[in-house]
Amino acid sequence: MTAPASVALGARPDRTLPSGVVLLTDRRLARRPLAEVVEAAVAGGVRWVVLREKDLPRAERAALAAELRAILADAGGRLIVAGPDPLDGDAVHLPAAGPYPPPAAGLVGRSCHDAAELARLTTEDYVTLSPVFPTRTKPGYGPPLHPAGLRELIATSRVPVLALGGVETPAQVRECVAAGAAGVAVLGALMRAEDPAEVAAALTAAHEFAGRAGHGAARPAPTATRGEP
């Protein structure tokens, strides 16, 4: 059977990649201390977290990374660090602007927004595409891709895609999976939640249901391969 376009161009099989509901952190939006929000989201089914908080001094950010890794490790999850410095880990998520080529790391993701940025990929393992929907976190950011635009870009991507931006409801999760996304990256809906565990469980259930229904180009996408230039 022919492999999906999003995973067909690499080598290095058996690489576990982000999928499902991926939490992006923002302690300034969080209703609770960040570690508590992450712990609650993990209890609700989240297994991937991207640590942002780039304004923190490195030592403080590294200590936070270690705390979050411990929370995730207990559930078999993994922490990704935004930026080229993995903070004593081995997984990073890079901005569209660079660096190019990506640094050597066990897992590398990149933020993308259009076909031109997808075309610049070299050895990245996965990407986020944003914004899919209008987002309260970055009002005016866009224009939004909407599911139709997301689907078009996913068809051109050589690596699995996480849908990012304005994903707040189970219905939106299902739309993203139907467009071919391996998962959804969520910030505001979980950071602002009174009960992050409940929200995470609802979004995770929607992703799992959509996957079982056979939507998307690469369902599920827990493993894929590192793309080649």
Side-chain angles (χ1 to χ4, degrees):
M1 181 172 64
T2 302
S6 59
V7 298
L9 296 180
R12 303 184 67 169
D14 302 324
R15 172 174 294 276
T16 301
L17 299 181
S19 63
V21 178
V22 179
L23 170 62
L24 276 62
T25 73
D26 188 332
R27 72 190 189 285
R28 291 165 295 189
L29 291 180
R31 288 176 174 260
R32 310 181 194 174
L34 188 58
E36 291 185 17
V37 175
V38 170
E39 189 169 23
V42 169
V46 167
R47 294 297 178 264
W48 294 88
V49 174
V50 178
L51 174 63
R52 297 167 72 245
E53 320 309 325
K54 294 182 181 180
D55 59 312
L56 291 176
R58 187 188 187 281
E60 188 174 344
R61 196 167 178 241
L64 180 57
E67 183 178 10
L68 299 187
R69 285 191 188 101
I71 293 170
L72 284 157
D74 288 343
R78 190 170 183 187
L79 184 75
I80 303 169
V81 176
D85 180 356
L87 299 177
D88 305 318
D90 66 346
V92 296
H93 186 90
L94 306 173
Y100 289 93
L107 179 69
V108 179
R110 190 179 295 279
S111 298
C112 291
H113 311 87
D114 55 37
E117 291 174 351
L118 287 173
R120 295 183 66 184
L121 299 177
T122 56
T123 58
E124 292 87 342
D125 297 293
Y126 75 93
V127 298
T128 59
L129 280 174
S130 66
V132 178
F133 303 102
T135 169
R136 289 188 289 163
T137 303
K138 292 184 177 181
Y141 179 54
L145 296 167
H146 298 293
L150 177 65
R151 181 186 297 275
E152 290 180 5
L153 288 176
I154 287 174
T156 72
S157 178
R158 67 180 67 186
V159 294
V161 169
L162 301 176
L164 168 64
V167 180
E168 298 188 350
T169 69
Q172 289 173 319
V173 172
R174 290 191 292 269
E175 286 184 278
C176 291
V177 175
V184 295
V186 179
L187 193 156
L190 288 168
M191 289 292 110
R192 298 187 187 98
E194 293 186 8
D195 187 342
E198 182 179 20
V199 174
L203 298 180
T204 298
H207 180 273
E208 292 176 350
F209 177 83
R212 289 195 301 269
H215 296 306
R219 297 277 63 77
T223 59
T225 58
R226 182 179 290 271
E228 296 297 334

